[in-house]
Amino acid sequence: MDAQETQFYNAVLVTAFLVGAILLTFVIVMYRQHKKVKEFFLSKIDAEIKTLENERQRVSSDLHDDLGPILTSIKFRVSSMDLQEGPDKDEMIKALYLLDKGIGQVRTISKNLFPDTLLRKGLVEALNEFLAELRKPEQLTLTLAKTEVPNLSNEKTLHCFRVLQEVIHNTFKHSQAKNFTITLTHNEKSFLIETWDDGIGFEWDQNKPQQGLGMRNLLSRMDILKGQVFLETELKKGTHYLFTIPLNS
């Protein structure tokens, strides 16, 4: 190889090196930019969800601590009225029935807005309480099969509860299932939440953006938890969810 060929060969190598370096720099910059954008959106979603949960907790507390006692006091005053048998007594009985119903609704709404049991007794107790309120054997059999829950922060516990709430509500509204099962397990690295139902299933394409607000909220919470969602569903063959949540994130 003469000097001219050597010079040309070296020039090609230098050019290739420079092009490779430019491409590598471009890829690194784009990756970092993408990571920053994703982190920005995740922090924005996290802030929005925290604001929503704080507002839910405030409204729940107002209902439980303020409106509930007021209705109970009204019920006590009405029930203490000494009325003779007749139309007025009948109206009082109707009023007491409506007050009982209203007090029950206030308690239910308060629990749904922010389940106090979740922070006091943990995920399993909160789920048992939530499922007990929903259970109607003629509609859907709800089963909490395994309850192996690791130590979770309050924030993670709340996200997991909301994810399960969304799946359960969707099952009630759309699945036409007869049976719904939840299992909670974990290993050294991950907390695993699985649900199964024997309903009609639905069409699912993970590559398409989800239009339903509930599903978008569910996926946003899993992004915040740095978890993964695996979904198996097919028309007429039920639905299976698997949520994997890393314990060290």
Side-chain angles (χ1 to χ4, degrees):
M1 182 181 295
D2 58 24
Q4 189 173 2
E5 288 178 338
T6 301
Q7 189 176 8
F8 175 75
Y9 180 71
N10 288 338
V12 170
L13 286 177
V14 170
T15 302
F17 175 78
L18 288 173
V19 170
I22 291 169
L23 286 173
L24 180 61
T25 302
F26 176 76
V27 169
I28 292 171
V29 169
M30 290 301 294
Y31 171 76
R32 286 178 177 172
Q33 187 65 24
H34 174 73
K35 189 176 179 182
K36 283 181 181 178
V37 169
K38 185 175 181 181
E39 287 174 353
F40 170 76
F41 279 110
L42 278 179
S43 64
K44 186 171 180 290
I45 291 169
D46 189 31
E48 289 174 354
I49 287 177
K50 283 178 179 175
T51 301
L52 174 63
E53 292 295 351
N54 287 338
E55 188 63 16
R56 278 176 167 172
Q57 188 172 12
R58 184 189 68 78
V59 175
S60 173
S61 178
D62 288 347
L63 286 172
H64 184 272
D65 299 338
D66 296 333
L67 184 57
I70 289 171
L71 291 175
T72 302
S73 177
I74 293 171
K75 177 188 172 184
F76 176 75
R77 288 176 178 274
V78 171
S79 64
S80 65
M81 295 171 66
D82 186 15
L83 298 176
Q84 300 298 320
E85 294 295 333
D88 289 343
K89 182 88 169 182
D90 292 340
E91 288 300 316
M92 185 186 79
I93 292 171
K94 289 177 184 177
L96 288 172
Y97 168 76
L98 291 173
L99 281 168
D100 276 334
K101 194 171 181 181
I103 291 168
Q105 285 294 324
V106 166
R107 286 174 181 164
T108 299
I109 293 169
S110 177
K111 283 180 183 178
N112 286 339
L113 280 170
F114 195 87
D116 183 53
T117 305
L118 189 67
L119 301 184
R120 289 189 294 106
K121 298 183 180 180
L123 182 59
V124 174
E125 284 301 317
L127 275 174
N128 276 322
E129 191 175 271
F130 180 63
L131 294 177
E133 291 176 359
L134 291 175
R135 280 190 177 100
K136 293 180 181 177
E138 70 279 6
Q139 290 184 358
L140 180 64
T141 300
L142 299 162
T143 305
L144 186 54
K146 286 186 181 180
T147 55
E148 300 168 10
V149 180
N151 245 347
L152 299 172
S153 66
N154 286 344
E155 184 179 358
K156 277 189 176 182
T157 301
L158 181 57
H159 282 310
C160 290
F161 181 77
R162 294 299 189 202
V163 164
L164 278 166
Q165 263 191 326
E166 184 57 39
V167 173
I168 293 166
H169 281 144
N170 283 341
T171 303
F172 258 98
K173 286 191 292 185
H174 307 299
S175 74
Q176 299 178 31
K178 295 297 182 184
N179 298 283
F180 178 80
T181 303
I182 303 170
T183 66
L184 309 174
T185 57
H186 68 93
N187 53 41
E188 291 182 359
K189 295 182 179 179
S190 302
F191 178 38
L192 308 175
I193 300 173
E194 287 191 81
T195 70
W196 294 266
D197 73 61
D198 56 2
I200 59 174
F202 59 94
E203 293 183 358
W204 163 264
D205 186 347
Q206 63 181 358
N207 297 315
K208 289 183 180 179
Q210 299 307 308
Q211 299 302 317
L213 179 62
M215 182 60 79
R216 290 204 303 271
N217 287 339
L218 183 154
L219 295 175
S220 294
R221 288 180 186 276
M222 290 303 295
D223 282 339
I224 291 169
L225 291 168
K226 295 182 172 59
Q228 291 182 294
V229 183
F230 301 95
L231 173 58
E232 293 179 320
T233 185
E234 193 175 339
L235 290 176
K236 312 284 183 165
K237 294 189 177 179
T239 303
H240 170 218
Y241 282 95
L242 170 61
F243 303 95
T244 64
I245 298 151
L247 295 177
N248 59 354
S249 62

